[in-house]
Amino acid sequence: MLPAPLSYQDVRDYLRGATAPPPDAHINSSLEYHQDRLQYLTSVIDSAANSEAGKGRLLARWGLRSRAKKKALSVEELRESQGDSKAAIMALHSLLSPIQRLPPEILTEVFIHCLPRAQFVEPNGTDAPLLLMQVCTGWWRICVSSPQLWSSLDIFPKNPKPAECDEDVLISNRALLLNVWIPRSGDLPLSLSMGDNLSTAAIRFALGNCAPRLQHLKFVALTKTCASLLPDKTYPLLDSFELYTPKGLTDALINDLSRAMMRAPILRQFIWESDLHRFRPSHVELHWSNLTYLRLNATITLEQCLTILSMATKATHLDFQDILVFSRAIPHNPLEIALPELSSFVICSRYDVSEVFDRITLPRLKELNLTLRSWPHSSIMGFSRRSRFPLQHLNIFFPHVTEPDIIECLETVQNTLTELTIQGEGQTTVTDILLDRLTYTGAQDVFCPKLETMALYRCISCSPGRFARMAESRLRFPGTLEPSRPRVEPLKVIQVYNSEVELSWLKPLRSLGLTLMVYSEDDCSMIVDIGPEAADEA
């Protein structure tokens, strides 16, 4: 005897994991039953030509007579039955879907690829893994039992809380989320982004219990009295640590941070962003010799900078945002510091940091960013000639430097340079002299033949239209002069302020393929003009 057709509720129970899955034969027979039933219901509802007697017999066949009154159902009741059959057909098709046949381990791999691409996963009902858990009980069980889906968490809010939300309730909810999310990650290495928007107990739970598993940590301390790492714990897997302290840290917490960092033996990336650091050095210790990436937006002394440079022999990126010089106690003839792997170097200071350039040799440097109020030209030139690096990106901000000094710097890297940025404070750094050398004439070698991007802000003083003529020469005639001469790459991008007097001559060059990006001088992060549509309007 054939089993009764599956109803919509039967299928829902299976999809929810409440009952065992039916055989395929039962699913197919039920699907056929509901399809025939739906076809008949549609014909009965749409056709008024059927006789009442014949209709009654057919309705009885499909179980569509009212049991209470022993008579045919009304049209409204028939339409309700029609909707039940449609829902049952859709649910039965879901049972036959190929994804329902996948083993749990394959589904887990699929779910992993559904996770957001961010390093730290922000809990969101419209993203995996929380979204996947809402599909059915079977998927919910697979998600909960798959630690890979829970090994990353971003619990620090990106947007300010709504005014109607109670802060105590939010703190409690975040703690509950931590208590649910982290245990589901099992014993896998953990990526965690959090901050002092949690209770002290929740912070100690996350940092204390998870210390052996922390691999990537990002911590935002909005107050200067919140510990970012517990100094009495060991962090054997910690690979990267980002610390954001808008109000700085107390000396005691900086000492605790150093103690914790010394207990992270394989740390390779360290970022410290601190807005409140001017004139007050922050001395933090860690295993500098293991670092490959370092960004310190916190004040350090020149001596600390040189110590880090001498030890960070594996570094590929070093960024010192504020170097403080107290005295000139550095030896006059110090030993040189060679960093063979360093490809990006950023150094910012209001003081003379010539000792840094006198000591370092960076043979693989490709990107150099300098924000220097005091320009140690002879030291920089010695550093450049000694290193002989294949520099591609040179970005200079607020330098008190002359045009001959800039030209001398460019001469040492002109065969490899692809990007040049100069941001001045109104003083003249670029005139017709440099622009003439950069102009493609075809009669002689052009200066910096590989240059593709130029960003010049408040530093140009040239003849009217001279900057634009230089740019046009590198747009109209790119190519190779002779086999013995280097190829001249076309200029692709120019960036200027909206107050630049050369702007009216530059805009027509968009028709030749130039990308002209115009920034607001009042808000340097705001682009006010870009793209060919802006050129057409002009």
Side-chain angles (χ1 to χ4, degrees):
M1 181 177 179
L2 292 175
L6 294 167
S7 67
Y8 172 61
Q9 186 60 48
D10 294 333
V11 180
R12 283 192 65 188
D13 289 343
Y14 166 67
L15 290 174
R16 289 179 173 181
T19 60
D24 285 357
H26 193 187
I27 297 175
N28 287 321
S29 64
S30 300
L31 183 61
E32 183 179 354
Y33 167 82
H34 285 288
Q35 288 172 337
D36 292 343
R37 185 173 185 264
L38 178 63
Q39 184 178 3
Y40 171 72
L41 285 170
T42 303
S43 65
V44 169
I45 293 171
D46 292 344
S47 175
N50 295 333
S51 66
E52 287 299 321
K55 184 170 95 173
R57 288 192 298 272
L58 287 169
L59 289 173
R61 171 191 169 188
W62 294 105
L64 296 170
R65 293 178 65 86
S66 172
R67 294 179 180 178
K69 300 181 179 180
K70 301 297 182 181
K71 66 178 183 179
L73 300 176
S74 66
V75 173
E76 288 75 14
E77 292 172 319
L78 291 174
R79 286 191 174 127
E80 183 178 347
S81 296
Q82 184 186 40
D84 292 341
S85 286
K86 287 181 178 179
I89 290 171
M90 292 180 62
L92 288 165
H93 277 302
S94 295
L95 286 181
L96 294 172
S97 174
I99 199 168
Q100 295 289 346
R101 301 296 193 265
L102 290 178
E105 57 271 18
I106 300 299
L107 271 177
T108 298
E109 290 297 321
V110 174
F111 292 169
I112 291 173
H113 287 281
C114 294
L115 291 172
R117 298 298 181 189
Q119 183 180 27
F120 304 102
V121 175
E122 184 176 0
N124 193 321
T126 59
D127 292 323
L130 298 183
L131 176 64
L132 301 174
M133 299 177 67
Q134 303 173 48
V135 175
C136 62
T137 301
W139 282 25
W140 183 91
R141 289 174 175 170
I142 291 174
C143 287
V144 170
S145 60
S146 301
Q148 304 95 315
L149 302 178
W150 309 94
S151 61
S152 174
L153 174 62
D154 184 353
I155 203 170
F156 192 85
K158 301 296 183 298
N159 302 314
K161 69 179 182 68
E164 64 274 10
C165 292
D166 184 83
E167 181 65 24
D168 292 337
V169 174
L170 291 176
I171 291 175
S172 176
N173 290 341
R174 294 178 194 126
L176 290 173
L177 179 62
L178 271 176
N179 290 331
V180 171
W181 194 289
I182 290 180
R184 288 178 180 174
S185 64
D187 57 358
L188 292 181
L190 188 64
S191 298
L192 182 61
S193 173
M194 59 184 295
D196 56 3
N197 60 326
L198 295 163
S199 65
T200 303
I203 293 174
R204 293 195 68 85
F205 164 77
L207 297 179
N209 293 359
C210 301
R213 297 196 292 123
L214 282 176
Q215 184 176 35
H216 305 288
L217 176 63
K218 178 180 178 181
F219 195 92
V220 181
L222 298 179
T223 62
K224 63 186 298 183
T225 58
C226 179
S228 55
L229 278 179
L230 303 180
D232 57 338
K233 298 294 182 179
T234 301
Y235 306 89
L237 300 183
L238 191 60
D239 181 77
S240 67
F241 180 34
E242 301 177 42
L243 177 60
Y244 297 85
T245 57
K247 296 183 179 180
L249 288 176
T250 64
D251 291 338
L253 286 179
I254 292 176
N255 291 333
D256 286 347
L257 175 63
S258 293
R259 290 170 56 198
M261 290 289 89
M262 295 303 293
R263 299 171 77 95
I266 65 169
L267 185 71
R268 294 188 308 113
Q269 300 183 42
F270 180 54
I271 297 173
W272 186 6
E273 296 278 356
S274 180
D275 293 340
L276 191 67
H277 60 270
R278 304 302 179 190
F279 302 106
R280 184 173 178 272
S282 304
H283 185 62
V284 63
E285 290 291 342
L286 51 89
H287 296 284
W288 305 111
S289 59
N290 291 338
L291 287 187
T292 59
Y293 186 101
L294 173 66
R295 174 176 170 83
L296 282 180
N297 190 16
T299 301
I300 61 172
T301 65
L302 178 60
E303 291 78 3
Q304 292 168 350
C305 175
L306 292 172
T307 298
I308 294 172
L309 287 171
S310 66
M311 300 178 67
T313 55
K314 297 180 182 177
T316 60
H317 177 96
L318 292 177
D319 185 341
F320 301 101
Q321 286 293 313
D322 189 30
I323 299 176
L324 183 62
V325 179
F326 282 124
S327 65
R328 317 303 298 177
I330 306 298
H332 181 66
N333 294 313
L335 295 177
E336 290 188 358
I337 299 171
L339 300 177
E341 305 299 327
L342 196 68
S343 61
S344 177
F345 188 43
V346 181
I347 184 167
C348 309
S349 181
R350 292 153 289 159
Y351 304 93
D352 179 6
V353 291
S354 55
E355 284 87 352
V356 173
F357 298 102
D358 287 337
R359 296 188 63 175
I360 58 173
T361 301
L362 311 177
R364 293 189 180 181
L365 192 66
K366 294 183 179 180
E367 179 181 11
L368 179 61
N369 293 353
L370 303 176
T371 303
L372 302 175
R373 299 291 181 173
S374 176
W375 182 261
H377 184 68
S378 61
S379 297
I380 290 177
M381 291 309 304
F383 156 66
S384 178
R385 295 190 178 103
R386 182 172 63 253
S387 297
R388 298 181 180 180
F389 37 57
L391 196 69
Q392 297 176 0
H393 309 276
L394 176 59
N395 305 301
I396 306 173
F397 302 94
F398 312 116
H400 292 276
V401 61
T402 64
E403 185 178 47
D405 289 343
I406 289 292
I407 292 176
E408 189 176 6
C409 289
L410 293 178
E411 285 175 342
T412 62
V413 297
Q414 68 138 340
N415 292 326
T416 57
L417 195 68
T418 62
E419 177 186 358
L420 173 64
T421 299
I422 303 175
Q423 180 170 358
E425 296 180 298
Q427 75 275 19
T428 299
T429 306
V430 177
T431 71
D432 290 359
I433 297 174
L434 177 55
L435 295 176
D436 286 344
R437 294 197 60 177
L438 292 170
T439 300
Y440 185 100
T441 64
Q444 58 187 5
D445 289 349
V446 66
F447 199 43
C448 301
K450 295 184 178 181
L451 192 63
E452 298 178 346
T453 300
M454 293 186 69
L456 302 179
Y457 307 105
R458 299 191 65 194
C459 63
I460 306 173
S461 179
C462 63
S463 303
R466 187 66 194 86
F467 185 21
R469 288 197 297 274
M470 180 279 297
E472 183 178 8
S473 74
R474 300 181 72 119
L475 287 166
R476 289 188 180 277
F477 311 106
T480 304
L481 295 170
E482 296 177 3
S484 60
R485 292 182 177 179
R487 172 181 172 82
V488 180
E489 299 295 335
L491 193 61
K492 296 179 180 179
V493 180
I494 287 181
Q495 301 176 17
V496 293
Y497 279 146
N498 56 351
S499 59
E500 176 57 55
V501 295
E502 287 286 298
L503 192 55
S504 59
W505 285 282
L506 290 170
K507 285 186 175 182
L509 299 183
R510 284 170 166 157
S511 62
L512 299 179
L514 178 69
T515 298
L516 178 62
M517 304 176 67
V518 184
Y519 290 84
S520 169
E521 189 169 359
D522 298 327
D523 182 358
C524 300
S525 62
M526 181 184 298
I527 299 179
V528 296
D529 189 1
I530 185 174
E533 66 280 359
D536 294 338
E537 294 174 3

